[in-house]
Amino acid sequence: MSAQAPHDATSRRDRDRTHYLYIAVILATVAGAVLGLAAPGVAVELKPMGDGFVSLIRMMISPIIFCTLVLGIGSVRNAAKVGKVGGLALGYFVAMSFVALAIGLLVGNILHPGSGLHLTDTLKHVGHSQAAAAPAEGVDFVLSIIPTTLVSAFTEGQVLQTLLVALLVGFALQIMGRAGEPVLRGVGHIQKLVFRVLSMIMWAAPIGAFGAIAAVVGSAGVDAIKALATIMLGFYVTCLIFVVVVLGAVLWVFSRVNLWHLLRYLAREFLLIVSTSSSESALPRLIAKMEHLGVSRPVVGITVPTGYSFNLDGTMIYLTMASLFIADALDQPLALGQQVSLLLFMMIASKGAAGVSGSGIAVLASGLQSHRPALVDGIGLIVGIDRFMSEARAVTNFAGNAVATVLIGTWTGEFDRDRAQRVFAGDLPFDESTMTDDELEESGAPAGVPDQPGPGAPAKEAAPI
């Protein structure tokens, strides 16, 4: 058995040719940036290439979330356990959003990055158009979660609607017991098919990366980037502090997992986010890789989709610093009490922004219009670099989702540290061709489920990873 394992690992590495794909993505990203600087007019015209690739990925998100959530809930016989995982996930995401808000306020009040900028009449109109495109709020937001039909959530690509349908189907299968097992097996086969289609789509990533980066750099221009470099640099540094210091400390204290090992394991996913300017391109892969890492299927199936809709780490830092930036630029600084009330409103309003392209700036415009209408004009100052800031907040949110999944798995006794250590060491490489752990499923153990006394038992002690 021990002699066979290294051989299997080596053969899987030999079969993995996708490292060439990601080298191509890096080269395409660099080439796109160069074209955007050298010929911005031509580069902007390439935007459909990036949009097309992201649309292909977005096409897969609803079925992947549905299958993952249904399998996660349906395979658990105790409904209380599902509620425990979901409650822990929601509580954690809200708590970390407050931490991100506090860090953003601290850095923003120290830097005052908006001083010295001037607003033109053309830029004034941009903010009002963005505010009109803001996501639904309050009762309208709650009603928007209910799909028109059981399948319309898939055809319309609404993530929250997909979550609702998946929850209902998962709990229904749970209640059905053995009678629902054939359906669960069918959903499992569909999930394998969906991941196989996704692995095929990924080969178009270099084309998408080239078009997306070229369009972003070409449309922003060097002058705009230089003028707004302070807010961009401050935002990047704040996100870095949050990920390294806050997330890294929490992950080590509670799970004894080294943040660097986790980020290195997800390096390809971060590359996709940066090169395509979209976190959606990496979400399906996060689901597959966290299950492969050693987090149980129910925890992954509940935590990752929940984080996609409710994780606000990077978004809160963005909304905080952008609000302070605009207030300073218009010479209308906000008092601390005004800052806190405005940002608490935005934190609630941004719940409806999940999966909506460009929704961050729309939420920002909506919040300013509700609390300080005079500041809406300043949205035009930040539109030119919003895509660059969008990448940073997407990376931060993605890192937050990954850390949260490990933490929730640890707290519920559903994280296999021994398996994670082997994955980080390269002994159990991720299968890029199928994105599933067939060998574990065939042996009768769901992927990522540790050998422990029970779902509520504490995770067994292991060496820090």
Side-chain angles (χ1 to χ4, degrees), residues 60 63-64 66-67 71 183-197:
M60 309 302 298
I64 286 176
F66 175 80
C67 292
L71 289 172
V183 180
L184 273 178
R185 286 195 294 271
V187 173
H189 290 307
I190 294 175
Q191 185 190 48
K192 290 182 179 180
L193 172 64
V194 171
F195 275 122
R196 178 68 75 171
V197 173

Side-chain angles (χ1 to χ4, degrees), residues 40-52:
V42 176
V44 171
E45 296 298 322
L46 299 179
K47 187 174 184 292
M49 293 169 59
D51 292 344

Side-chain angles (χ1 to χ4, degrees), residues 123-137 326 345-346 349 358-380 382-383:
L123 292 178
K124 287 183 179 180
H125 301 291
V126 176
H128 297 281
S129 62
Q130 289 291 339
E137 302 170 11
I326 291 171
F345 170 80
M346 287 185 179
S359 59
I361 200 166
V363 171
L364 175 65
S366 175
L368 293 176
Q369 188 174 59
S370 299
H371 283 67
R372 291 291 295 271
L375 297 181
V376 178
D377 292 344
I379 294 291
I382 209 169
V383 166

Side-chain angles (χ1 to χ4, degrees), residues 304-376:
V304 174
T306 301
Y308 180 74
S309 300
F310 295 99
N311 176 32
L312 306 173
D313 298 343
T315 304
M316 283 312 303
I317 295 174
Y318 167 79
L319 294 175
T320 302
M321 298 195 68
S323 299
L324 299 181
F325 167 80
I326 291 171
D328 288 341
L330 298 184
D331 199 24
Q332 299 181 42
L334 298 171
L336 183 60
Q338 294 173 320
Q339 295 174 17
V340 173
S341 62
L342 170 64
L343 294 166
L344 288 177
F345 170 80
M346 287 185 179
M347 188 170 79
I348 298 172
S350 60
K351 291 288 198 303
V356 181
S357 179
S359 59
I361 200 166
V363 171
L364 175 65
S366 175
L368 293 176
Q369 188 174 59
S370 299
H371 283 67
R372 291 291 295 271
L375 297 181
V376 178

